[in-house]
Amino acid sequence: MPVPKTILAIFSGAIAVAAGIWIGQNVNLLPIEASENAPVYDELFRVLFSIGTVLFVGILGLVVFSLIKFRRKSGDSEDGIPLEGNLSLEIFWTAVPAVVILFVGIYSYDIYDRMGGMNPLAHGASHDHQAIATQERVWGGIGSGSISDKADSTISPLPIEVTAMQFAFLFHYPEGDIISGELHVPTGRRVNMRMESKDVIHAFWVPEFRLKQDVIPGQPTILSFTPTKPGRYPIICAELCGPYHGGMRSTVVVEKPSEYEDWFNKNSKIPVLET
Ligand code: CUA
C-alpha cells in the first residue's frame, strides 16, 4: 500500500525544518565574539540563519523533486493541465511568511534593545537622534549606567574621539592627549566613542565586535561597546568613500587592563599622577 501524499509532504517538511535548525545552530559563519554585545547579536543571527536554511532546503528540495517527478515523458507533446489558483494554498503561503516576518521583526527589536540601541550611551550603538542630542551631556563625564551592562560599573567609560578622513581613522584619547592610528582598548571597560568625519561619510566597522556605525561630517555619532577578548581585530571602513576606500583599514588592539595601562602611560602626553 502506497504512503499517503500528505504524510510524505509533512515528513519532508519536518526534515527540512530539522536540517535547517541543525545547520543554523551548528554551522558558524561568524568571526570570534570579542565584545559584550557580540553574543546577543549572534543569537539573532543563528535564528535568522536557521529560518533561511529551512527555506533554502525546503525550496531546493521541492525544485529537485519537481524536476524529477514532473519531467516530460518522451513522446508527450500535450499541454500541461490548466490550473486556476487554489485559495487555501494562497492563504497558506501568505499566512506563513506573515507570521515569520512578524516574529523576526519583534525579535530583532528585542535584540536591538538588549544591545542598547534604544539607549546607545548606556550600552551599544545607534543612529538614535536622542543620542546625538544628549551626547554632549554624557561626553561631559556624566556616564549613564546600564543595568544590562556586565562591565564593572565602578570603572568610568573610556572616552575616545574618532576622526575619519579619506582614507584613515585617527583616535584621540582626551585622558592622555594621545593621538593614534591604531585603536587600543582594555577588556571589561566600556568605551564611548564620539566619531566625526573631516570630509565624506565613512563607516566604522569591527566584525569581531558586531558593530558598525556611520561617521558623518558635521554631525558626530556615538558608538559605545565593551571589549571582552584580547586580540588584534580589523577596523574596516564600510562606506564607499573614494578611490582608496578599500584600503581604509586600521586595527583595534584589545588588551588586558594592565597591558593597556602600559601602552597608555608610554604614550600619554599628560604626566601620570601617582596616587
Ligand atoms: Cu572611508 Cu570607505
Side-chain angles (χ1 to χ4, degrees):
M1 192 188 100
V3 188
K5 278 179 185 146
T6 331
I7 305 285
L8 266 182
I10 291 169
F11 184 68
S12 335
I15 288 179
V17 170
I21 290 170
W22 190 88
I23 291 169
Q25 300 301 316
N26 291 285
V27 177
N28 183 31
L29 301 174
L30 296 169
I32 70 158
E33 300 172 334
S35 86
E36 234 170 46
N37 68 294
V40 182
Y41 172 94
D42 289 8
E43 196 188 307
L44 172 67
F45 182 83
R46 270 192 288 273
V47 170
L48 295 183
F49 189 40
S50 288
I51 294 172
T53 313
V54 170
L55 291 175
F56 180 75
V57 171
I59 292 168
L60 208 71
L62 212 58
V63 167
V64 171
F65 171 79
S66 304
L67 282 175
I68 297 161
K69 171 85 179 172
F70 304 113
R71 196 178 157 77
R72 187 176 69 88
K73 313 270 181 309
S74 59
D76 178 3
S77 56
E78 280 179 53
D79 287 342
I81 41 166
L83 289 173
E84 286 201 26
N86 184 325
L87 186 64
S88 43
L89 196 60
E90 297 272 4
I91 291 168
F92 176 77
W93 70 37
T94 305
V96 169
V99 169
V100 170
I101 297 292
L102 204 65
F103 164 75
V104 168
I106 293 167
Y107 188 45
S108 303
Y109 181 92
D110 174 58
I111 293 285
Y112 187 61
D113 190 34
R114 278 163 60 193
M115 280 170 66
M118 299 303 149
N119 187 10
L121 293 163
H123 185 211
S126 169
H127 303 256
D128 206 311
H129 292 271
Q130 222 184 347
I132 291 154
T134 56
Q135 60 171 312
E136 294 302 336
R137 179 171 58 81
V138 171
W139 201 250
I142 312 157
S144 53
S146 164
I147 305 149
S148 65
D149 201 332
K150 285 183 245 52
D152 189 344
S153 55
T154 57
I155 307 169
S156 62
L158 172 66
I160 301 174
E161 291 162 354
V162 182
T163 307
M165 70 207 76
Q166 287 168 322
F167 295 93
F169 291 103
L170 269 187
F171 304 99
H172 178 234
Y173 295 69
E175 284 177 349
D177 198 20
I178 301 167
I179 292 177
S180 173
E182 206 175 56
L183 179 62
H184 282 249
V185 286
T187 53
R189 183 176 175 190
R190 201 165 73 232
V191 178
N192 281 350
M193 295 201 317
R194 183 187 198 269
M195 310 198 287
E196 200 167 353
S197 170
K198 283 239 178 283
D199 35 50
V200 299
I201 299 174
H202 303 271
F204 176 95
W205 179 36
V206 179
E208 282 77 2
F209 288 173
R210 313 287 192 271
L211 285 179
K212 192 191 274 173
Q213 172 67 58
D214 278 7
V215 192
I216 304 163
Q219 182 175 317
T221 45
I222 291 286
L223 188 60
S224 184
F225 58 89
T226 306
T228 52
K229 246 189 205 79
R232 297 175 66 87
Y233 311 113
I235 296 170
I236 302 162
C237 177
E239 196 77 65
L240 184 60
C241 57
Y244 298 102
H245 154 73
M248 188 167 165
R249 280 164 168 260
S250 181
T251 305
V252 51
V253 185
V254 179
E255 293 160 313
K256 292 197 186 79
S258 59
E259 288 165 26
Y260 169 77
E261 211 60 39
D262 290 345
W263 175 85
F264 184 86
N265 292 336
K266 213 166 70 194
N267 291 279
S268 177
K269 292 189 193 72
I270 296 166
V272 191
L273 293 170
E274 298 293 335
T275 46

